[in-house]
Amino acid sequence: MQETVFTQFILPGVLALVMLGMGLGLNLSDFSRLVKMPRAVIVGLVGQLLILPAFALCLALLFQAPSEIAIGLMIIAACPGGTTSNLISHVAKANLALSVTLTAITTIICVITTPLLIKYSIGFFEQQRSVDFSLLSTSLGLLVISIIPVIIGMAIRAKYSKSARRAEPFFRKLSTVFMLLLIAIISYQERDMLLVAFPDVFLLAMSLNIGATALGLVLAHLSKVSARDGVTLGIEIGTQNATLAILIAVTFIQEPAFAIAAGVYGVTMYLGAFLLVMARRSVLTAPE
């Protein structure tokens, strides 16, 4: 894909704004919860950083996905959660503090783990041609568009708390609108491949979402955390940052075909969370 103003400046710039909005909702106590609630946080980190990528790899192999779709699926699994998971946790009356903590910590860790996993995935699935991918430039890019804006947002939150809380909903809406715009652009650019591969991609994306959500619940049960924390882990492990996955594919790797899976996932990722929210509400409203 040729470099354009959109891929090189607008796309990273808007995502940086979205990450700044995430920072507006964070403070230092969100990181200290690793000490206060270590079991739930550690289980969530293991689920997102290890089990989710392994599950995505198994799905890609099981469905015998084309290399572009398989790599796209792995990019999704390599990304951290986003503000969407925090919003869903709030709606589900789950442990919002745990959700925010996991999002914050994985955002930092994924600056290192995401490029490594993508590098492995490209080497594993794309053996017919060479794909230009740089670990260093991707890590630096993630640092610039994710970590630095989050830190700036946290600094603004610390100094102007009321203004930051008022501004946060705007950035949440920006994140949703921007993701839908990206999905539309990718769908148009790769319409020929999408028309052919859509049934398989849809099934893969839905399986990743629902399967990862279920894995989160299983991990919570095995680790004996509370039911409320279990719902949170299901949401966090099952809901990844599709916008970031699209940016990595389109801007860093310059392979829009890799973004097809992320675009479809951006729509299907609400399914697992919706089922979980409905189940959670039915339990909370059930007569004793």
Side-chain angles (χ1 to χ4, degrees), residues 32 79 98 104 137 147 170 264-265:
S32 66
C79 287
L98 175 59
S137 63
I147 303 303
F170 165 78
V264 176
Y265 176 84

Side-chain angles (χ1 to χ4, degrees), residues 154-170:
M154 290 178 64
I156 295 173
R157 167 72 179 263
K159 192 168 184 178
Y160 306 102
S161 179
K162 291 184 179 179
S163 298
R165 285 198 294 269
R166 285 198 298 267
E168 192 181 355
F170 165 78

Side-chain angles (χ1 to χ4, degrees), residues 33 36-44 89 92-99 102 213 215-221 223-237 276 280:
R33 291 193 185 97
K36 297 177 181 177
M37 52 175 76
R39 181 185 298 179
V41 173
I42 290 172
V43 170
S89 291
K93 300 186 184 302
N95 190 336
L96 181 58
L98 175 59
S99 175
L102 286 171
T213 303
L215 283 172
L217 295 176
V218 171
L219 285 174
H221 176 74
S223 59
K224 298 181 180 180
V225 301
S226 68
R228 184 167 175 249
D229 287 351
V231 171
T232 309
L233 293 179
I235 293 170
E236 281 297 312
I237 297 174
L276 201 52
R280 173 72 173 163

Side-chain angles (χ1 to χ4, degrees), residues 66-76 118 121-122 125-126 129-133 186 190 193 201 242 245-250 252-264:
S67 60
E68 295 90 348
I69 304 304
I71 293 171
L73 202 70
M74 295 302 294
I75 293 175
I76 296 168
I118 294 173
S121 301
I122 291 175
F125 288 107
E126 192 61 89
R129 63 188 179 96
S130 176
V131 176
D132 185 21
F133 178 78
I186 294 300
E190 300 298 315
M193 182 179 178
V201 179
I246 293 174
L247 177 134
I248 291 172
V250 173
F252 293 163
I253 312 178
Q254 297 185 28
E255 291 281 351
F258 292 173
I260 291 176
V264 176

Side-chain angles (χ1 to χ4, degrees), residues 144-212:
V144 170
I145 66 170
S146 59
I147 303 303
I148 293 177
V150 166
I151 292 174
I152 293 173
M154 290 178 64
I156 295 173
R157 167 72 179 263
K159 192 168 184 178
Y160 306 102
S161 179
K162 291 184 179 179
S163 298
R165 285 198 294 269
R166 285 198 298 267
E168 192 181 355
F170 165 78
F171 287 98
R172 289 186 185 275
K173 293 177 182 177
L174 175 65
S175 175
T176 301
V177 171
F178 188 55
M179 183 186 68
L180 293 175
L181 176 62
L182 283 180
I183 292 172
I185 292 173
I186 294 300
S187 298
Y188 176 76
Q189 288 185 336
E190 300 298 315
R191 56 190 178 278
D192 293 336
M193 182 179 178
L194 185 59
L195 285 173
V196 174
F198 181 79
D200 293 334
V201 179
F202 180 82
L203 187 57
L204 267 171
M206 186 174 64
S207 297
L208 180 66
N209 172 240
I210 295 179

